[in-house]
Amino acid sequence: MMRSSLQSTLLALVIFSLVSTLLFLFYFKEETTLFGRHWKGALLLQQRVSNARHESDINKTELFPRGSTSTPLKCEPKNNILFLKTHKTGSSTIANIFFRYGDLRNLTFALPGATLLGWPNRFQVYFPFRLQTKQTPNILCSHSRFNKKPMNWLFPKRTSKYVTILRNPVDNFESAFSFMKLGNQVGVGNNPDSLQRFLKNGIPFTTMEGKASPLTRNPLLHDLGLSFKYYQNLTAVNEYIQFLDNEFDLVMIMDYFDESLVLMKRLLCWKMDDILFLKLNERQNEEKDTILTDDVRENIKRWNKADVLLFEYFNKSFWDKIENEGENFYKELATFRERKSEIKRACVTNETRLQTVYAAKRVKGYSIRSDLPKGLKTLCKKLTISSNAYLAYLRGKHNERLEKDVDEDKESWDLSKDLVYKPVQPV
């Protein structure tokens, strides 16, 4: 009896163990499957987030994943751009790029009534030429002085890209001094040694304020909006440079013009043909005879110390950006240079002619080939047209668009009968 009871107990234990094992294996299998699903889901989500971040970076800098030389990733071209056009930095050439891009796509420009968008005053929203309340400008690329609030209002940072360009302060100041005949304004004449004479003592603020251009000292930071009272305040200058770094998506460097344009192309997700250019607004050779001794160069830096700090900061960040682009950047740069040379050979002869850019000011221009097909001839003309001439054409185009809006408001409501007025008739 006892033995039979023991056997029954053992059998029950065996059955219990077997059932427990089967249940455990079934449960473990389900848990493993569920965990596998969760793990795969988490991995996919992480991958999607990573891809989204990467795509966001690609949209910002445009083309290739780092180290890749194959097909570019897709991104949307940026059409809302504020280009803060600085003086004597190759900015007229860049403005021509924006003019052609916007003109081809019928984008709306914030245009000046003549040449300048209120410069040297800080930009205000009422400066643009006949910009109607229902119009949102896509591109600003004329000379204006940076002013955050109104510019951010017309070009919201969320939907716009902010771009500008700098040049090493020695060459920039020498070019501005000569091109704008600043020596005549401050009483040292316009001769090869005028800059040297000017830098012997500089000028007091009252002299500049009374009769000289505001570009007479720190022209780059002036265009970028820094007040004169901070020019000799190191802390204020450094803080303003940090402020500009937050405001601008790309600060290009004229000294590395081609590299700058490839960076801009990637930032804006444009095509190679969109950034092709021919150099514009170049001084005549006889205007490049300024005496630049080592002492003159050093004094230019000391007189424009705030601009030096600005340039040094953004020159470093410029090369940091290029390094982050990867090796394919230089392959694209080489392709761009080849394409640029091709378009120059196709468009113009080796003959240099003088071009009038505005009253009494002439610069180097081009002679367009006479045997070009119509499409190429149109492109070549737009590549070589002066800023003022292009602005006049764009203002005309803008006026035509406005006239259509006005004409639309002259059409009668009787064109449709759906909501025709039917007054209540007296009983």
Side-chain angles (χ1 to χ4, degrees):
M1 181 76 177
M2 191 174 215
R3 186 172 179 177
S4 175
S5 175
L6 183 59
Q7 285 177 342
S8 297
T9 302
L10 286 172
L11 182 60
L13 284 172
V14 169
I15 292 170
F16 176 77
S17 297
L18 252 157
V19 171
S20 298
T21 301
L22 288 171
L23 286 171
F24 174 77
L25 287 173
F26 176 79
Y27 176 77
F28 181 77
K29 180 181 178 183
E30 286 299 304
E31 280 298 295
T32 304
T33 305
L34 287 169
F35 179 76
R37 287 173 187 161
H38 290 313
W39 180 78
K40 287 176 183 175
L43 184 62
L44 284 171
L45 179 61
Q46 184 181 31
Q47 187 65 41
R48 284 172 186 165
V49 170
S50 176
N51 288 344
R53 288 175 180 163
H54 184 61
E55 285 170 10
S56 175
D57 291 340
I58 291 300
N59 286 342
K60 188 174 180 181
T61 56
E62 198 217 336
L63 279 170
F64 303 91
R66 190 178 300 184
S68 169
T69 57
S70 57
T71 307
L73 296 177
K74 290 183 179 179
C75 60
E76 291 296 322
K78 310 299 186 295
N79 291 339
N80 300 325
I81 304 137
L82 185 144
F83 172 59
L84 200 289
K85 188 181 180 189
T86 49
H87 284 83
K88 305 313 297 173
T89 57
S91 60
S92 292
T93 302
I94 303 233
N96 179 273
I97 291 172
F98 287 120
F99 288 153
R100 286 184 285 114
Y101 182 87
D103 181 22
L104 183 65
R105 292 160 180 80
N106 289 316
L107 302 180
T108 300
F109 287 87
L111 296 168
T115 303
L116 309 172
L117 261 174
W119 187 96
N121 299 308
R122 287 184 178 84
F123 180 82
Q124 301 296 333
V125 292
Y126 54 83
F127 283 173
F129 170 78
R130 299 190 70 187
L131 192 63
Q132 304 301 306
T133 53
K134 66 179 180 179
Q135 289 179 310
T136 302
N138 301 107
I139 298 175
L140 186 157
C141 59
S142 297
H143 276 304
S144 57
R145 192 174 180 207
F146 188 70
N147 196 6
K148 176 180 169 61
K149 287 185 179 180
M151 285 183 163
N152 286 179
W153 188 82
L154 269 185
F155 292 86
K157 295 294 294 296
R158 180 177 52 84
T159 56
S160 307
K161 294 298 180 184
Y162 279 59
V163 180
T164 190
I165 186 167
L166 306 179
R167 183 181 186 181
N168 83 77
V170 172
D171 292 344
N172 179 244
F173 189 72
E174 182 279 322
S175 179
F177 194 90
S178 171
F179 190 85
M180 298 173 185
K181 296 180 170 53
L182 299 182
N184 289 339
Q185 299 176 23
V186 295
V188 295
N190 187 44
N191 303 303
D193 67 340
S194 294
L195 179 56
Q196 187 175 20
R197 291 169 58 203
F198 167 78
L199 291 167
K200 186 175 181 180
N201 296 300
I203 56 171
F205 173 74
T206 50
T207 301
M208 187 280 295
E209 187 183 31
K211 61 181 181 181
S213 165
L215 301 180
T216 307
R217 191 175 192 187
N218 294 314
L220 296 172
L221 271 170
H222 174 270
D223 284 345
L224 287 164
L226 183 66
S227 298
F228 299 120
K229 64 182 179 179
Y230 297 124
Y231 276 16
Q232 297 179 168
N233 184 326
L234 178 61
T235 301
V237 168
N238 282 329
E239 287 180 356
Y240 198 75
I241 290 170
Q242 292 297 321
F243 160 75
L244 293 173
D245 195 15
N246 290 327
E247 287 298 307
F248 285 87
D249 298 285
L250 175 63
V251 177
M252 299 183 286
I253 304 293
M254 178 188 171
D255 310 66
Y256 309 102
F257 204 76
D258 291 350
E259 290 90 341
S260 292
L261 286 177
V262 173
L263 274 181
M264 186 180 84
K265 170 187 173 295
R266 291 180 167 212
L267 172 70
L268 301 179
C269 194
W270 285 7
K271 296 178 181 178
M272 187 74 73
D273 284 357
D274 295 329
I275 61 167
L276 293 175
F277 73 92
L278 293 178
K279 187 177 181 180
L280 299 177
N281 215 30
E282 183 180 1
R283 286 181 291 167
Q284 300 177 52
N285 291 334
E286 55 266 31
E287 295 179 326
K288 299 179 181 180
D289 58 356
T290 303
I291 298 171
L292 282 178
T293 64
D294 289 344
D295 284 349
V296 170
R297 289 179 174 276
E298 180 60 29
N299 282 335
I300 290 175
K301 292 177 184 178
R302 294 186 181 195
W303 176 246
N304 299 283
K305 184 59 179 174
D307 270 3
V308 170
L309 293 171
L310 175 78
F311 180 81
E312 287 176 346
Y313 180 90
F314 282 108
N315 186 51
K316 181 181 182 303
S317 70
F318 176 83
W319 289 105
D320 288 343
K321 286 180 186 292
I322 288 179
E323 185 178 354
N324 289 334
E325 291 297 308
E327 293 179 6
N328 53 68
F329 176 87
Y330 289 98
K331 294 181 180 179
E332 189 174 4
L333 177 63
T335 302
F336 172 55
R337 285 174 169 159
E338 288 174 10
R339 184 80 182 98
K340 186 182 66 169
S341 297
E342 288 171 1
I343 199 68
K344 185 174 183 180
R345 286 193 300 269
C347 280
V348 299
T349 68
N350 292 326
E351 178 186 355
T352 300
R353 67 177 184 85
L354 294 181
Q355 180 183 45
T356 301
V357 287
Y358 35 80
K361 188 63 188 178
R362 308 187 82 192
V363 298
K364 287 184 179 180
Y366 297 94
S367 295
I368 297 177
R369 295 185 183 277
S370 58
D371 56 345
L372 300 176
K374 185 177 179 181
L376 181 57
K377 187 174 183 179
T378 299
L379 171 61
C380 295
K381 282 184 175 179
K382 290 186 175 182
L383 280 164
T384 57
I385 191 173
S386 70
S387 288
N388 271 4
Y390 216 139
L391 282 169
Y393 159 75
L394 290 173
R395 278 192 293 270
K397 189 175 179 180
H398 184 70
N399 279 333
E400 288 178 7
R401 189 184 303 177
L402 292 180
E403 286 168 9
K404 288 180 181 178
D405 290 342
V406 172
D407 290 341
E408 182 178 312
D409 285 336
K410 292 180 179 179
E411 294 183 81
S412 170
W413 54 56
D414 290 327
L415 288 173
S416 300
K417 302 295 182 180
D418 301 338
L419 303 176
V420 67
Y421 176 57
K422 296 179 180 179
V424 174
Q425 299 299 321
V427 178

